[in-house]
Amino acid sequence: PMIDDPWDIPLVDLDAILVAIRIATYGENMKMTVKVPGVEDEELDIEIDLVGILDGYNGKTWEPIIQFNDLKLHSAPLKFKDQNVYEQQNYETTRFISLMRDESKPLEERKDQMTKVFNEISDMNIDLVCKQIKAIEMPDGAVEYNNMAIREFLNSLPVKDFEIVRLALQDRRTLFDLKPTLVSVPATLQEQGAPESFEVPLVFNQSSFFALK
């Protein structure tokens, strides 16, 4: 209720929101058909306990402060809009890289294009981190909120230090990742070479998540 624009939903909350809507729409279980590893052309019909998945989010919170040397970096999760823009840019970059494999173009031209792409990828990575760092708190308690100043600071960091910040943000996002579902395999399939159990990653495709009952 505090978010007027759906694009402003924190990305780490998106899966939980989708699960809650799915439960309210179709019920507490979701049917899936999964391929059994170790055997050919064998599938299992399973049911995912959505309430259990939703309960798994209880108690999870984003830790806003990243201690970085003598500074405190105030962080917040990416918004849905930010991730969507990044994915569009990443798609275009990947497509551009595939086009550069065209050997009919001069080598120097391809090298220049590759340098441009690498710079764009670097800028995207910096943008993602910058969007998650909202303020920098100095040792004396003064706080810098200016986005340009924060970006300049992050951009000036050595690669090793930048990675420390990036990985700290990644660890916070990972806390909200959906845990895979463990599937038990019938003995008849185990006799054919299938394992006793296997994990099924849960990736909710927003375009079809509500289409399957």
Side-chain angles (χ1 to χ4, degrees):
M2 296 178 63
I3 299 176
D4 295 326
D5 187 347
W7 284 114
D8 289 333
I9 293 173
L11 193 63
V12 294
D13 292 338
L14 186 59
D15 282 337
I17 291 172
L18 290 176
V19 171
I21 294 174
R22 170 80 193 210
I23 291 173
T25 307
Y26 292 125
E28 299 178 354
N29 297 309
M30 182 174 70
K31 294 181 179 180
M32 291 179 62
T33 299
V34 296
K35 182 174 175 54
V36 181
V39 291
E40 291 187 6
D41 302 324
E42 291 290 349
E43 295 179 333
L44 285 176
D45 293 327
I46 64 173
E47 283 195 351
I48 305 296
D49 176 14
L50 297 178
V51 173
I53 291 175
L54 201 57
D55 287 344
Y57 284 97
N58 290 338
K60 291 184 178 181
T61 58
W62 179 279
E63 173 52 53
I65 301 299
I66 298 174
Q67 189 67 46
F68 180 72
N69 297 329
D70 58 351
L71 302 175
K72 292 181 179 179
L73 308 183
H74 295 241
S75 69
L78 283 174
K79 296 179 180 179
F80 182 35
K81 172 176 56 182
D82 299 328
Q83 181 67 16
N84 189 65
V85 170
Y86 170 76
E87 288 178 351
Q88 289 177 350
Q89 292 174 333
N90 191 52
Y91 169 77
E92 290 298 326
T93 300
T94 302
R95 188 174 67 87
F96 192 59
I97 289 175
S98 66
L99 292 176
M100 286 191 301
R101 295 173 181 167
D102 182 4
E103 296 185 357
S104 64
K105 293 184 177 181
L107 180 59
E108 286 302 316
E109 180 180 343
R110 282 184 283 150
K111 284 183 177 179
D112 290 342
Q113 290 175 336
M114 184 63 74
T115 299
K116 179 182 177 181
V117 168
F118 284 150
N119 289 336
E120 289 177 352
I121 292 174
S122 177
D123 287 342
M124 281 193 294
N125 288 331
I126 293 173
D127 283 341
L128 282 177
V129 172
C130 288
K131 288 180 183 298
Q132 295 173 88
I133 302 300
K134 303 302 182 182
I136 300 175
E137 185 175 342
M138 312 302 173
D140 62 0
V143 182
E144 176 62 77
Y145 292 100
N146 183 273
N147 290 334
M148 290 299 297
I150 293 172
R151 183 182 181 86
E152 288 178 7
F153 168 76
L154 293 170
N155 205 24
S156 69
L157 291 177
V159 174
K160 181 179 178 181
D161 288 342
F162 183 83
E163 276 298 287
I164 291 174
V165 177
R166 189 186 69 81
L167 291 174
L169 293 167
Q170 180 176 294
D171 288 343
R172 284 158 172 75
R173 291 196 303 273
T174 301
L175 178 65
F176 295 85
D177 285 351
L178 290 167
K179 299 297 184 289
T181 292
L182 187 65
V183 178
S184 298
V185 178
T188 53
L189 292 180
Q190 293 180 39
E191 293 170 358
Q192 300 176 41
E196 292 183 5
S197 61
F198 62 95
E199 291 185 337
V200 176
L202 294 179
V203 180
F204 291 144
N205 184 333
Q206 298 154 28
S207 64
S208 62
F209 184 51
F210 301 102
L212 303 175
K213 297 184 180 180

